[in-house]
Amino acid sequence: MSLLFRIVAVLQIAGGFYGFATLLLRLLAGGHGGIGLLMLVIGLLMSVFALVAGVMLIEGAAMGVTLSRIVQGLQIPVIGTSWLSYAWHTGAAAPLTVIFGRRVTADIDWSVPSQAWRLATGGHSTTVLGINLLALACWLLLRFARR
């Protein structure tokens, strides 16, 4: 297995575990009802999915690359509108975003190590659209590189 595949696997394992622990603590703390509880459970399942895909990738399992491609693909979009917000990353992120407000601005940020889950209906009046460049690079690596 190549070094780059191992890096992707480690990011997924670490980010998946961190996301699982963080979201489980939020879930156990309570105070969430209805749609908020559902979003937490979805985030928890996504974190477990990333963790399992990373373990399978590092073990060299046949499905590891496919599952990791799905994990990375789900991390590419960054959406924030008045009716829907979605962003997810495990391990690290480098989002390039365009913010549509009074002025249109572009921003690139990065965070290592990190984990974030955002899925919500409703949101801010400012629209934010972007892509996670690190997830895109990992997806392309998993898609086109030979093992």
Side-chain angles (χ1 to χ4, degrees):
M1 173 182 288
S2 75
L3 175 64
L4 294 175
F5 273 41
R6 288 180 194 261
I7 292 170
V8 171
V10 167
L11 287 173
Q12 288 179 177
I13 293 168
F17 179 76
Y18 181 55
F20 175 76
T22 302
L23 293 170
L24 184 63
L25 287 174
R26 286 178 55 192
L27 189 65
L28 293 174
H32 306 285
I35 196 83
L37 179 64
L38 178 63
M39 298 307 161
L40 270 177
V41 170
I42 291 171
L44 193 69
L45 293 173
M46 298 279 281
S47 294
V48 170
F49 179 58
L51 177 64
V52 169
V55 169
M56 290 179 73
L57 182 63
I58 210 159
E59 288 180 346
M63 286 297 295
V65 173
T66 302
L67 294 177
S68 292
R69 257 191 277 156
I70 293 169
V71 167
Q72 294 304 320
L74 289 170
Q75 294 180 69
I76 293 172
V78 176
I79 302 167
T81 66
S82 59
W83 53 275
L84 174 71
S85 295
Y86 172 82
W88 177 50
H89 70 268
T90 61
L96 171 64
T97 55
V98 178
I99 303 160
F100 299 92
R102 287 184 179 208
R103 297 176 301 149
V104 176
T105 57
D107 186 28
I108 189 164
D109 197 7
W110 61 274
S111 54
V112 177
S114 70
Q115 174 281 328
W117 168 251
R118 172 107 174 117
L119 179 61
T121 56
H124 301 286
S125 60
T126 304
T127 300
V128 178
L129 299 174
I131 59 171
N132 181 346
L133 296 174
L134 182 60
L136 179 61
C138 290
W139 184 86
L140 290 169
L141 170 75
L142 291 165
R143 175 68 179 94
F144 295 110
R146 303 261 184 234
R147 290 169 35 101

